[in-house]
């Protein structure tokens, strides 16, 4: 296991999972949110061959480039407009009106909260990050406010008392600082960025921005050699049961369907009361109904 100068552990791949993927994100970054469908598909089809680790990239160039300045003052209009453009391009809804209704002043707070959630385990941290993104991009809630953060912790199934202690602890702050240090050492200047490492090479392959699914598969193939057969996705109902709340775009990506085909299939599940349709500003999400479904 390698260790960076700041004392943060950098995991190296093992024989069971020969590839390590470092995902540099920010909870407030709409492009990172837009990459979710591709990440889901990659985990489903090739998750047996890589480990994914989310690192909070901090503000870096994202906040410098997104938050345009006029006469030294950040304009809400520029940020809101960029969110709307990103939503239309990625298929993952982002409601830029939050910048008019409850603008975010302290972006680091959300990243520290993610590190606090991760103290309860990697899966807890990932569930919490997902909840933060949902309430920010879909519900226009300011995820740097303690009450909103706490509600997300509850929704993610965390031990809320422990989370609240960790949220205000030096441990969470230091974990975030470690992520920022790693971001700098790997020369990551834009978000999202994925850095792929293999057990046969010390040099990582870095890819910045949002690309088609095939690009990431090609990188895995380059690192692994002969890419193993991909795993088939689970039945649609099992997929929905696992993830609970997903976008039409996510379903379309994972199952190679058009939005119209997704709508057709989801209409059947809606009539069976297995899912509930949730319209959002840009597109549709689907909420799994745990009470009425008879899925395994």
């Amino acid at each position: 296991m390698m260790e960076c100068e700041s004392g943060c552990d950098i995991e190296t791949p093992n024989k069971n999972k020969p590839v390590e993927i470092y995902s540099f994100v920010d909870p407030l970054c709409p492009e990172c949110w837009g990459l979710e469908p591709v990440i889901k598909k990659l985990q489903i089809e090739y998750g047996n061959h890589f480990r994914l680790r989310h690192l909070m990239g901090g503000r870096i160039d994202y906040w410098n480039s997104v938050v345009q300045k006029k006469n030294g003052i950040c304009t809400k209009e520029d940020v809101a407009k960029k969110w709307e453009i990103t939503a239309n391009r990625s298929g993952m809804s982002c409601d830029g009106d939050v910048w008019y209704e409850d603008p975010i002043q302290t972006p680091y707070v959300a990243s520290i909260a993610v590190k606090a959630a991760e103290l309860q385990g990697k899966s807890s941290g990932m569930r919490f990050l997902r909840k933060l993104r949902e309430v920010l991009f879909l519900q226009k809630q300011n995820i740097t406010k303690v009450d909103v953060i706490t509600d997300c912790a509850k929704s993610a199934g965390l031990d809320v008392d422990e989370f609240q202690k960790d949220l205000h602890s030096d441990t969470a702050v230091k974990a975030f600082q470690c992520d920022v240090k790693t971001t700098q050492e790997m020369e990551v200047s834009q978000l999202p960025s994925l850095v792929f490492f293999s057990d046969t090479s010390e040099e990582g392959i870095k890819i910045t921005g949002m690309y088609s699914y095939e690009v990431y598969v090609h990188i895995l193939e380059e690192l692994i050699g002969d890419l193993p057969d991909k795993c088939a996705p689970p039945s649609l109902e099992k997929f929905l049961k696992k993830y609970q709340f997903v976008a039409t775009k996510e379903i379309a990506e994972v199952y190679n369907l058009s939005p119209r085909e997704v709508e057709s299939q989801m209409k059947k599940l809606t009539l069976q009361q297995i899912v509930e349709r949730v319209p959002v500003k840009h597109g549709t999400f689907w909420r799994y109904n745990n009470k009425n479904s008879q899925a395994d």
Side-chain angles (χ1 to χ4, degrees):
M1 182 171 292
M2 298 179 291
E3 190 172 357
C4 69
E5 295 176 1
S6 58
C8 316
D9 288 333
I10 298 179
E11 298 178 6
T12 54
N14 56 40
K15 292 182 179 180
N16 293 329
K17 292 192 176 183
V19 175
E20 186 85 20
I21 302 176
Y22 279 43
S23 172
F24 293 88
V25 299
D26 187 304
L28 287 81
C29 169
E31 289 87 357
C32 299
W33 171 238
L35 196 58
E36 278 279 279
V38 168
I39 294 296
K40 266 190 174 62
K41 185 172 185 177
L42 203 63
Q43 288 179 308
I44 288 172
E45 294 192 343
Y46 296 105
N48 291 333
H49 307 287
F50 70 84
R51 289 182 295 173
L52 178 68
R53 177 180 175 185
H54 285 305
L55 290 90
M56 301 299 106
R59 291 173 65 179
I60 55 176
D61 286 354
Y62 171 71
W63 289 105
N64 294 330
S65 62
V66 171
V67 184
Q68 303 294 324
K69 294 185 177 182
K70 294 180 180 178
N71 299 322
I73 300 175
C74 297
T75 63
K76 303 173 185 177
E77 292 83 2
D78 287 332
V79 185
K81 181 178 180 181
K82 180 175 178 61
W83 279 32
E84 302 292 335
I85 292 173
T86 301
N88 287 320
R89 182 163 65 97
S90 70
M92 293 293 284
S93 185
C94 308
D95 194 335
D97 288 347
V98 66
W99 291 99
Y100 299 106
E101 299 172 10
D102 196 357
I104 294 158
Q105 305 294 333
T106 52
Y108 287 116
V109 172
S111 292
I112 293 172
V114 174
K115 305 316 291 185
E118 286 180 353
L119 294 175
Q120 297 188 33
K122 176 183 174 182
S123 59
S124 295
M126 294 184 73
R127 290 198 309 273
F128 177 73
L129 175 59
R130 174 73 184 202
K131 290 297 180 182
L132 282 181
R133 288 166 159 174
E134 290 173 359
V135 301
L136 171 65
F137 295 121
L138 307 181
Q139 301 175 24
K140 301 182 293 181
Q141 295 188 46
N142 187 332
I143 61 171
T144 64
K145 291 185 174 180
V146 174
D147 58 338
V148 175
I149 290 172
T150 302
D151 286 343
C152 287
K154 292 178 182 176
S155 298
L158 302 185
D159 181 323
V160 177
D161 290 336
E162 284 298 314
F163 173 76
Q164 289 176 328
K165 292 177 184 177
D166 291 332
L167 182 62
H168 300 95
S169 70
D170 290 339
T171 303
V173 174
K174 289 179 180 178
F176 171 58
Q177 292 172 339
C178 180
D179 280 8
V180 173
K181 180 69 172 178
T182 303
T183 302
Q184 295 169 344
E185 290 174 349
M186 292 190 182
E187 300 180 346
V188 173
S189 60
Q190 297 179 21
L191 301 178
S193 286
L194 298 183
V195 182
F196 293 70
F197 293 95
S198 74
D199 56 1
T200 59
S201 176
E202 294 182 0
E203 295 295 324
I205 298 176
K206 179 169 60 180
I207 181 166
T208 297
M210 295 186 296
Y211 291 87
S212 67
Y213 179 70
E214 290 72 25
V215 171
Y216 303 98
V217 173
H218 178 69
I219 294 174
L220 283 178
E221 188 173 13
E222 286 287 316
L223 293 174
I224 297 175
D226 293 330
L227 195 63
D229 292 337
K230 62 184 179 183
C231 294
S235 68
L236 181 54
E237 190 171 339
K238 287 183 177 179
F239 172 82
L240 294 163
K241 183 177 183 180
K242 177 178 180 179
Y243 291 105
Q244 295 289 309
F245 187 69
V246 295
T248 292
K249 173 63 177 179
E250 292 177 290
I251 298 171
E253 183 74 47
V254 170
Y255 291 92
N256 297 318
L257 299 173
S258 68
R260 179 174 295 183
E261 289 171 328
V262 172
E263 289 282 341
S264 177
Q265 293 202 28
M266 298 306 290
K267 182 177 181 180
K268 299 174 185 177
L269 295 179
T270 301
L271 292 173
Q272 297 174 47
Q273 297 186 327
I274 293 173
V275 296
E276 173 190 359
R277 183 188 183 94
V278 182
V280 291
K281 188 171 185 179
H282 300 280
T284 304
F285 273 69
W286 306 90
R287 179 176 288 114
Y288 183 77
N289 189 342
N290 289 290
K291 293 182 179 180
N292 294 328
S293 175
Q294 298 299 316
D296 294 336

